Amino acid sequence: MVSSPHEAMHRIFQEHPGLFSRVSEVLGVTFSPPTSVTILPTDLTESRPVERRLDTLLRLDTEDDQPLLLAVEAQGKKDLDKHASWSYYLSYLYAKYRVPPVLLVVCQDRATAEWAARPVHIGPRQWASLTLRPLVVGPHNMPLITNTAEARKDLALATLSAITHADDPDIGAILKSLSAALREAPESLTGPLVELTAQGMGKRPAAQQWRNLVAVDLSFYTSSLSEEIREEARAKARVEAWAEARAETRSEDILLILERRGIDISDDARERVTSCEDSDSLREWFLRSITASSAEEIFAGE
C-alpha cells in the first residue's frame, strides 16, 4: 500500500517540475530550468512481462540543453530488487523515447539514501555493460530551511526540505518557516504545497505540528486538510458541549434523588455536586445517592 510520504516525495515534482533544476544544483549537477514540461505515462509494462510502474515520469525541455526524461522514485527503505527495476526503467525509457533518462530517488532517511546512491555495475566483473547511477535526495544533502526568508525564495524547495527532513529534531522550525512563507503566497500555489507537506509527514508527530500551523498560520486557507482540521475542532466542541450538558443533567439528578428521599443537602455538598465535571465521579455519586443516608455519604472514600 502506497504511503502518504511516498506520494509526496515524487508528486511535488509533478506540481513543480522546475524544482529538479534547483535540486540538481544542491547535488552538484547542473540541469537548465525547463521551458516546457510533459507528464508522461508511468506504466512501463510490456505486453507479457510483469507490470512495472514508475512513481513520476516527466519530459523536460530546456533552451540550453537537450530534452531529458526525469524519472522520480520515492524510496522508503532498502530494497535490493529496486536496482534491477531501476535499470529496467532507464533502459526501457531510452528505447521507447530515444531521450536521455535521469533517475532521481527521494528518501527520508540517510541509510536508505546512501544505499540508493551507490553505483550498481551490471554485467560480469570483467566488464560492466551498464552502470546504474541515480541522483539521490535525502536528509543528508537537502538543506535545512528554518528561515522564513529562505523558504520564501523557493517554496517548492522548502517543501521538499520539510518532507526529506520529516524525522529531523528541527522539523518544527522547518515547518514553522514554511507555513510563515506560505502566508504570503497565492492560494493557487499554497494549496498543493500545504497538502504535499501534510502527506510527507505521514503519521509522524510532525503531522500534528503541521496541522496546528495550518489551522493558525494558514487559517484563511481553504482545502481538504484545512476543512478536516476545522471539522475536527467543531466535532470536539460538540463533544465538549454534550459532556458539559450531560454533567449538568447528572448533577441535577443526584440532587433531585436526595431531595425526593428527604435527605438534607448542605451548601458544601450542593456546590461539590454542581461544580463537578468528572463523569466517572458523577456516575458513582448518582448510584450512591439512591441508598445513601446523608448527602455527605455519597462522597465516602474520596
Side-chain angles (χ1 to χ4, degrees):
M1 183 176 181
V2 176
S3 65
S4 293
H6 181 101
E7 288 292 295
M9 285 191 284
H10 70 86
R11 272 192 52 229
I12 190 170
F13 291 92
Q14 295 180 23
E15 301 287 348
H16 298 271
L19 174 62
F20 174 63
S21 63
R22 278 105 71 190
V23 169
S24 69
E25 290 180 14
V26 173
L27 302 179
V29 184
T30 302
F31 289 96
S32 300
T35 54
S36 67
V37 177
T38 305
I39 298 179
L40 301 176
T42 58
D43 189 346
L44 307 185
T45 307
E46 295 182 4
S47 57
R48 288 182 296 174
V50 177
E51 180 179 313
R52 300 175 187 270
R53 289 183 184 273
L54 277 163
D55 289 332
T56 285
L57 179 61
L58 305 172
R59 176 185 169 120
L60 307 183
D61 294 287
T62 71
E63 291 182 350
D64 303 326
D65 299 326
Q66 61 181 334
L68 63 89
L69 298 180
L70 176 61
V72 184
E73 283 278 279
Q75 194 64 31
K77 60 182 180 180
K78 298 178 183 179
D79 182 352
L80 298 180
D81 290 336
K82 278 295 183 178
H83 292 145
S85 297
W86 292 340
S87 301
Y88 172 88
Y89 296 162
L90 295 175
S91 299
Y92 178 89
L93 291 172
Y94 184 70
K96 180 175 182 178
Y97 294 101
R98 297 296 177 179
V99 174
V102 175
L103 174 63
L104 178 68
V105 181
V106 185
C107 306
Q108 288 182 299
D109 70 275
R110 181 170 188 140
T112 301
E114 292 178 345
W115 163 81
R118 291 200 300 264
V120 177
H121 304 291
I122 301 171
R125 67 178 183 276
Q126 298 91 335
W127 187 265
S129 300
L130 292 172
T131 299
L132 174 69
R133 295 178 62 213
L135 285 172
V136 178
V137 168
H140 65 301
N141 57 12
M142 280 298 293
L144 271 168
I145 301 178
T146 57
N147 179 278
T148 301
E150 286 298 313
R152 194 180 294 121
K153 291 178 183 177
D154 195 331
L155 292 173
L157 187 65
T159 300
L160 185 62
S161 170
I163 292 170
T164 54
H165 289 287
D167 290 313
D168 193 279
D170 288 332
I171 185 60
I174 297 171
L175 294 177
K176 188 173 182 179
S177 67
L178 177 59
S179 67
L182 287 172
R183 286 182 63 88
E184 303 169 13
E187 189 169 322
S188 59
L189 179 62
T190 302
L193 296 180
V194 167
E195 301 296 334
L196 284 168
T197 304
Q199 283 188 317
M201 297 304 103
K203 296 182 179 179
R204 297 172 173 85
Q208 188 59 49
Q209 290 180 268
W210 183 241
R211 293 171 73 87
N212 294 340
L213 287 167
V214 171
V216 178
D217 290 355
L218 302 174
S219 57
F220 64 89
Y221 172 64
T222 57
S223 72
S224 58
L225 175 64
S226 59
E227 283 304 309
E228 182 182 332
I229 293 171
R230 292 181 187 114
E231 179 54 35
E232 286 179 359
R234 288 191 288 267
K236 182 179 180 181
R238 288 194 295 268
V239 170
E240 290 175 349
W242 175 84
E244 183 178 343
R246 185 173 177 84
E248 183 177 346
T249 301
R250 183 57 62 85
S251 298
E252 292 173 353
D253 290 343
I254 294 170
L255 297 175
L256 180 60
I257 289 174
L258 292 174
E259 289 172 355
R260 287 293 180 90
R261 294 182 60 227
I263 295 176
D264 292 333
I265 307 172
S266 66
D267 291 341
D268 288 344
R270 187 180 297 274
E271 172 63 23
R272 186 170 179 182
V273 170
T274 56
S275 63
C276 181
E277 297 180 353
D278 182 71
S279 59
D280 291 337
S281 294
L282 288 170
R283 182 177 183 278
E284 183 63 29
W285 296 348
F286 174 78
L287 294 174
R288 292 176 183 175
S289 69
I290 299 172
T291 58
S293 57
S294 68
E296 284 67 23
E297 190 176 321
I298 69 172
F299 309 125
E302 298 183 15

